[in-house]
Amino acid sequence: MTVLEDRIAMAKSDDEITLDELFEQIEKMPAPEGYKVEIVEGTVFMSPQRDTHWEIILDIVEQLRTKYPRKRVKSDVRIDYPGHLNGFASDVTVLAEDAARTESGLWRHQDVEFVAEVISKSTAANDYGPKKAAYATAEVPVYLIVDPYQRRVHVYTHPKGDTYTTETRVDFGTAVDLTTTAVGLTLKTDEFPVD
């Protein structure tokens, strides 16, 4: 067991370590270039950025930028969410206009209006499971899962407790109508690549 795994085990058993301490330990370790690091329910996940993954993220960001200023659209920026040791670096996040950072310099989950996650095989269970529950608990109004393996977009709205009461599925090639949500625009999916 590595030092980091040992610290995570301690965090799970007696909550002696915080997300900040876990991220500090991770930052001291040599991580491969191009990997995203997240902590989901106290477990550290490192996943490489694939070309398909990045193209979809960039497409979403470019479409969001037609409405939102750059300072409100984030990618791979740590935001801590409700639940046990949840420090996510979501693929795309849109913050409220009056979003404020915490004293430690992090963005607050209370200011998140939209999250998009692009599925990777190694972390898909997180996006459909504990991350979806954490986003709903945080009352993120719109959560989008883009799945290049299914060639489908899942749109989750109306958070209640740790779930979303509405799910809409849209196949790639069909526009995702978010005009009646906090996002207020339509996302095109016809150029999303598939795996």
Side-chain angles (χ1 to χ4, degrees):
M1 182 178 272
T2 68
V3 172
L4 183 58
E5 290 170 331
D6 186 44
R7 288 183 184 266
I8 292 169
M10 282 182 1
K12 287 181 178 177
S13 64
D14 46 355
D15 290 334
E16 290 182 20
I17 195 164
T18 67
L19 272 172
D20 288 338
E21 291 168 333
L22 278 172
F23 276 107
E24 279 180 36
Q25 290 294 324
I26 292 167
E27 287 173 9
K28 292 177 185 175
M29 298 174 62
E33 183 104 12
Y35 275 69
K36 175 169 99 171
V37 177
E38 292 186 300
I39 301 174
V40 179
E41 296 183 329
T43 301
V44 176
F45 290 89
M46 294 177 70
S47 53
Q49 186 75 270
R50 293 178 350 274
D51 192 49
T52 298
H53 194 94
W54 171 241
E55 285 183 34
I56 293 171
I57 292 168
L58 185 57
D59 194 344
I60 293 169
V61 168
E62 287 174 341
Q63 291 184 65
L64 290 170
R65 287 279 294 121
T66 64
K67 178 179 178 179
Y68 296 99
R70 180 173 291 127
K71 68 180 183 174
R72 290 184 59 194
V73 180
K74 307 293 178 190
S75 180
D76 292 341
V77 173
R78 175 186 163 193
I79 297 176
D80 297 346
Y81 284 90
H84 178 70
L85 297 177
N86 284 324
F88 304 158
S90 307
D91 291 326
V92 181
T93 301
V94 173
L95 298 170
E97 188 172 351
D98 59 348
R101 292 178 189 251
T102 64
E103 287 182 15
S104 60
L106 298 175
W107 294 105
R108 301 170 344 122
H109 69 80
Q110 294 90 335
D111 295 329
V112 175
E113 294 183 344
F114 169 83
V115 170
E117 296 284 9
V118 181
I119 294 298
S120 296
K121 282 185 180 180
S122 61
T123 59
N126 288 337
D127 295 329
Y128 284 110
K131 288 175 79 173
K132 184 172 89 172
Y135 294 140
T137 301
E139 298 183 350
V140 173
V142 181
Y143 174 40
L144 200 79
I145 294 179
V146 182
D147 194 327
Y149 305 100
Q150 293 181 359
R151 300 173 183 191
R152 181 173 293 149
V153 177
H154 300 261
V155 182
Y156 298 95
T157 56
H158 305 98
K160 185 172 183 175
D162 66 352
T163 191
Y164 284 91
T165 60
T166 305
E167 176 186 3
T168 305
R169 296 177 185 178
V170 178
D171 292 332
F172 281 15
T174 305
V176 179
D177 183 3
L178 301 174
T179 57
T180 61
T181 71
V183 180
L185 56 79
T186 300
L187 288 176
K188 297 177 183 175
T189 65
D190 51 327
E191 293 187 17
F192 285 2
V194 298
D195 271 339

